[in-house]
Amino acid sequence: MSPRTAAIIGGGIGGLSTAIALRQIGIEATVYERAPVLGEAGAGISLWPNATRALRQLGVLDRVLDTAGPIAALSVRHPVGRTLLRAPIDTTDAPAVCVYRPHLIDALRSALPPEALRTGRPLAEVTGDGRLRFANGSKVDADLVVGADGIRSTVRRFVTGSDEAPVYRGYPVWRGIGPLPSSFVPGEIAETWGDGLRFGLLDVGDGRAYWYATASRPQGSDLPTAEARSQVALDTFARWHAPIEEVVTSTPAEAVLYGDTFDLPPLRGWRRGRTVLIGDAAHPTTPNLGQGGGMAIEDAVALAVHLRRRPLDDALDAFVRARYRRTARVSRESLWTGRLGQAHGPVARLRDLATRLTPGAAYARRSRWLFAYDATA
């Protein structure tokens, strides 16, 4: 059987991308979003060649590139400014960019007809295979249900039969959007590693900088106000090399986000009958490789490829097998990278030495498996 209709739960990057991909192969896909309006937190997102390759397949890459900042190289520095690593990013057949998340959502939404989007629809439960009940009492039956509802997914509870709590990974993340400093090196993603601290800076387009920062802290180290979020970030990184203090100081307090970092161990059971998980609902990942959104876009394209080639049951099985291998590797690598980045004391010094001795070309070769992936293959 080939599905004629699909209900997608979650109107984020993964859900919208899936709706586009399924409609491209003739499936009437509808997105159900709990929020009254579609939107994303006002931060940046890096889209590496594996993600932009998939966006090209969805037909939205050109619109995304209109407002994005390019990424051509990764640099890693010590807090005093000493360069530890500079590595090129291979963008031979697909670009690497950083984009403002709301702009990415707008680009995806523009590729869908209005009737494909239903907002203000919190999902109450999955009542059976292909049957959904929403908080307002309405019900939907679909040939295919796609859970794209994030790390605390309601759909995942139906698929797995459990409610496993996300795992805190030891550090919160600040995220902010401010003016791009004049000293910023064009085309660079700039990371600085300290003792249990990291700071990253990218061009998000339109003359703006996207910055992120981490600090090893106990879970729930809450900063309840915008002013507190901004001030603690400034205090934590104030003595680091330029332009870090400038970037934080010039970012309006209300444009600074703060939240703990979670993931889950790789999950094999993404599917139950006609219901399947994608994105953070299936493989929540720490942000250390910048691949959370990219893997959700990959999922969307890959799901459509398998559904085009095979009957529904076979297609979902093949999709889960293929995507588990890819996403489990990315999630484990991201977790390991985060642990290394948050290292303290002698381990941090050893990390810095090893990084300084690694040629940029060797780093680029090691990253090829990540960036060269093609979700249509």
Side-chain angles (χ1 to χ4, degrees), residues 60-243:
V60 299
L61 179 58
D62 287 345
R63 178 158 181 170
V64 171
L65 295 181
D66 283 345
T67 60
I71 302 173
L74 165 69
S75 74
V76 179
R77 297 184 177 89
H78 185 275
V80 300
R82 182 173 66 249
T83 297
L84 302 176
L85 172 73
R86 195 170 196 280
I89 304 298
D90 183 3
T91 58
T92 303
D93 72 314
V97 297
C98 184
V99 64
Y100 187 49
R101 279 179 176 266
H103 287 174
L104 176 58
I105 290 292
D106 286 345
L108 295 169
R109 179 171 49 190
S110 72
L112 291 168
E115 64 270 18
L117 307 173
R118 308 286 176 85
T119 56
R121 295 290 186 93
L123 180 67
E125 62 177 331
V126 185
T127 61
D129 198 9
R131 296 189 298 276
L132 308 170
R133 183 174 66 82
F134 295 91
N136 64 1
S138 63
K139 298 179 180 180
V140 167
D141 289 311
D143 297 332
L144 171 66
V145 173
V146 180
D149 50 341
I151 190 170
R152 291 176 172 81
S153 168
T154 299
V155 182
R156 185 173 64 237
R157 289 199 294 272
F158 168 77
V159 170
T160 65
S162 67
D163 192 12
E164 187 176 3
V167 179
Y168 179 60
R169 292 306 184 183
Y171 47 94
V173 181
W174 286 268
R175 295 178 172 90
I177 298 287
L180 189 69
S182 59
S183 60
F184 181 81
V185 178
E188 187 173 86
I189 173 171
E191 279 210 353
T192 302
W193 295 348
D195 200 42
L197 302 167
R198 286 177 288 164
F199 193 98
L201 182 63
L202 301 92
D203 175 3
V204 77
D206 295 333
R208 294 180 298 178
Y210 165 52
W211 60 268
Y212 56 88
T214 66
S216 297
R217 293 168 177 260
Q219 184 177 356
S221 301
D222 194 24
L223 300 175
T225 67
E227 290 72 19
R229 292 191 291 270
S230 180
Q231 188 60 52
V232 172
L234 182 58
D235 293 344
T236 303
F237 299 97
R239 289 176 291 279
W240 286 31
H241 67 79

Side-chain angles (χ1 to χ4, degrees), residues 46-59:
S46 53
L47 297 170
W48 301 98
N50 55 292
T52 58
R53 208 173 280 118
L55 287 173
R56 181 185 292 138
Q57 176 69 23
L58 296 178

Side-chain angles (χ1 to χ4, degrees), residues 3-8 14-31 58 112 143-146 276 278 299-308 312 316:
R4 292 172 296 175
T5 62
I8 300 166
L16 295 175
S17 297
T18 301
I20 297 168
L22 295 186
R23 282 178 168 262
Q24 284 179 335
I25 62 169
I27 298 173
E28 185 181 338
T30 304
V31 175
L58 296 178
L112 291 168
D143 297 332
L144 171 66
V145 173
V146 180
V276 69
I278 69 155
D299 285 344
V301 171
L303 179 60
V305 167
H306 286 289
L307 287 169
R308 190 177 66 242
L312 178 60
L316 295 183

